[in-house]
């Protein structure tokens, strides 16, 4: 009886030894000298509002595929809309003040040009009259010497001459000193420059109001949280009606490169891998199908291994991150565990 049991035990021991060797070579859930556990790449992207507020609407659900620009969450915007309306009213008022000042400035320049033209006309008329009066006075002096005209006529003509000469001298002095608009350009380019100087502060005020409207529009637009990457919604952390601070994560989007596997090479084996090395991978089921891959990247330094990839989650481990390109027969779920055979 003992011999028969021994005969039966020998094949069983051989089978167990072979099974143990196979498990060790294909991975058993931990890290062995022959295998590692890797995980399909999963990158989490947080979507958050830039300002504090109350959530008005959640536009997505868990598992939904989103693309950049898709609406994820809409925040309440009543206060922002009020600020935008106020900014637009201020802009309209600034534009109205600018237009009114343009009209007033244009009219002021026109009035100044008219006054200058009148002064110039008076100057020309007085100069012409002075020349005529001088001739008339000279004739009267000759006639007065001959007693042909009364002296009173000559005196009136002399007074007129003095009056015109004084007026001409005043206008000539103003022209020489560039006073009262005489002797300098009023309209045309000079007038445009003067108007521009008066309008420059108002134009700057309009520009400031325009920027305020842009900021208000931007605040309203940013109240809508949009996806900035393409991926799947993996988590919704808040719900409609919640009041959240700025930069609070509302929705999480998971992404990953197809077939990209991440694993961590233990520190004691940190020099045994090299980029381009071929590896074998297999799913967690014991009799799962294997598929090929190659080492694409290796981190240049040791880093702390995530708890999920440790032998014991409570015991810290350090290793080099290894990224593997693989070609599985079916797409891997983000974060799916696989065995990596060295």
């Amino acid at each position: 009886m003992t011999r028969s049991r021994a005969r039966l035990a020998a094949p069983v021991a051989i089978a167990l030894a072979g099974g143990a060797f196979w498990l060790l070579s294909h991975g058993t859930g931990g890290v062995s000298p022959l295998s590692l556990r890797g995980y399909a790449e999963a990158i989490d992207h947080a979507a958050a509002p830039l300002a504090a507020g109350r959530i008005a609407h959640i536009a997505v659900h868990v598992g939904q595929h989103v693309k950049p620009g898709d609406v994820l969450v809409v925040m309440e915007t009543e206060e922002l809309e009020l600020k935008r309306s106020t900014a637009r009213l201020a802009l309209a008022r600034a534009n109205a003040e600018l237009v009114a000042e343009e009209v007033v400035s244009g009219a002021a320049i026109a009035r100044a040009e008219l006054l200058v033209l009148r002064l110039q006309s008076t100057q020309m008329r007085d100069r012409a009259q002075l020349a005529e009066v001088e001739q008339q006075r000279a004739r009267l002096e000759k006639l007065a010497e001959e007693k042909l005209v009364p002296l009173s006529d000559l005196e009136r003509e002399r007074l007129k001459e003095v009056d015109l000469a004084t007026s001409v001298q005043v206008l000539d002095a103003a022209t020489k000193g560039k006073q009262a608009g005489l002797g300098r350009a009023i309209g045309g380019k000079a007038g445009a420059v003067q108007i521009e100087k008066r309008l420059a502060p108002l134009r700057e005020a309009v520009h400031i109001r325009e920027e305020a409207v842009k900021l208000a529009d931007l605040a309203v637009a940013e109240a809508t949280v949009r996806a900035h990457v393409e991926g799947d919604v993996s988590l919704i952390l808040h719900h409609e009606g919640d009041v959240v601070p700025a930069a609070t994560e509302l929705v999480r989007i998971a992404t990953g490169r197809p077939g990209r596997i991440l694993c961590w090479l233990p520190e004691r084996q940190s020099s045994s891998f090299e980029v381009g090395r071929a590896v074998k991978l297999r799913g967690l089921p014991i009799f799962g199908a294997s598929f090929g891959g190659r080492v694409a990247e290796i981190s240049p330094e040791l880093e702390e291994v995530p708890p999920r990839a440790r032998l014991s989650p409570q015991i810290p481990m350090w290793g080099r991150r290894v990224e593997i390109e693989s070609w599985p027969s079916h797409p891997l779920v983000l974060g799916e565990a696989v065995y990596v055979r060295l």
Side-chain angles (χ1 to χ4, degrees):
M1 189 69 177
T2 302
R3 291 180 179 179
S4 62
R5 288 180 178 177
R7 292 173 182 173
L8 291 174
V12 172
I14 294 172
L16 290 174
F21 176 81
W22 189 91
L23 289 174
L24 288 175
S25 63
H26 287 72
T28 60
V31 177
S32 74
L34 299 177
S35 67
L36 298 170
R37 177 172 290 191
Y39 302 91
E41 182 183 56
I43 303 174
D44 292 328
H45 302 269
L50 297 181
R54 185 186 301 275
I55 299 175
H57 176 61
I58 302 292
V60 293
H61 58 268
V62 174
Q64 179 176 338
H65 185 77
V66 295
K67 296 181 179 179
D70 288 351
V71 176
L72 302 177
V73 180
V74 179
M75 308 294 290
E76 291 185 356
T77 59
E78 286 80 0
E79 182 180 357
L80 297 177
E81 291 287 354
L82 180 60
K83 291 181 178 179
R84 180 164 66 175
S85 299
T86 302
R88 289 177 174 175
L89 289 174
L91 175 60
R93 179 177 179 180
N95 278 319
E97 291 176 350
L98 175 60
V99 172
E101 186 60 28
E102 287 177 346
V103 174
V104 171
S105 298
I109 293 295
R111 287 195 299 270
E113 290 177 348
L114 180 59
L115 291 175
V116 171
L117 290 174
R118 286 179 177 176
L119 289 174
Q120 291 174 345
S121 175
T122 300
Q123 184 182 27
M124 295 174 64
R125 183 179 65 250
D126 289 350
R127 187 175 285 112
Q129 289 181 357
L130 178 60
E132 183 65 27
V133 168
E134 287 175 348
Q135 294 177 3
Q136 182 68 16
R137 187 257 309 160
R139 287 196 298 271
L140 288 175
E141 286 179 346
K142 292 179 179 180
L143 293 174
E145 291 177 356
E146 297 176 0
K147 307 297 183 177
L148 297 176
V149 295
L151 292 177
S152 58
D153 291 346
L154 178 59
E155 290 299 328
R156 283 195 298 270
E157 211 56 38
R158 286 176 177 175
L159 289 175
K160 185 183 296 185
E161 180 183 4
V162 171
D163 182 57
L164 291 173
T166 303
S167 176
V168 170
Q169 289 176 0
V170 171
L171 293 177
D172 288 345
T175 301
K176 185 177 181 180
K178 296 184 178 180
Q179 298 174 343
L182 295 173
R184 58 180 177 177
I186 296 298
K189 185 177 180 181
V193 171
Q194 294 177 4
I195 291 177
E196 186 60 31
K197 288 182 179 179
R198 296 184 62 177
L199 298 181
L202 295 177
R203 295 189 193 280
E204 184 64 23
V206 170
H207 177 69
I208 293 174
R209 298 301 182 186
E210 289 174 345
E211 295 302 318
V213 171
K214 290 180 182 179
L215 288 175
D217 291 339
L218 181 62
V220 173
E222 289 177 345
T224 300
V225 182
R226 299 179 182 273
H228 56 279
V229 295
E230 181 175 2
D232 299 316
V233 176
S234 62
L235 190 62
I236 297 177
L237 294 91
H238 292 274
H239 303 282
E240 296 177 1
D242 291 353
V243 178
V244 297
T248 300
E249 183 180 9
L250 303 181
V251 175
R252 186 174 299 169
I253 301 174
T255 64
R257 290 168 289 184
R260 185 61 63 112
I261 306 295
L262 303 181
C263 64
W264 284 264
L265 192 64
E267 186 174 358
R268 65 179 182 274
Q269 298 175 335
S270 60
S271 61
S272 62
F273 260 24
E274 59 183 8
V275 175
R277 176 175 175 176
V279 296
K280 290 290 186 179
L281 303 104
R282 182 179 60 82
L284 285 186
I286 295 178
F287 298 102
S290 298
F291 54 94
R294 72 174 187 88
V295 177
E297 298 179 14
I298 302 177
S299 66
E301 60 182 0
L302 296 174
E303 60 183 52
E304 188 172 0
V305 179
R308 186 184 180 192
R310 301 173 186 171
L311 290 173
S312 175
Q314 292 77 23
I315 301 176
M317 290 182 59
W318 295 81
R320 297 178 68 184
R321 186 181 71 257
V322 179
E323 296 188 10
I324 300 172
E325 289 181 324
S326 65
W327 304 275
S329 57
H330 65 280
L332 298 175
V333 178
L334 298 178
E336 179 179 350
V338 297
Y339 292 124
V340 181
R341 187 177 179 184
L342 307 182

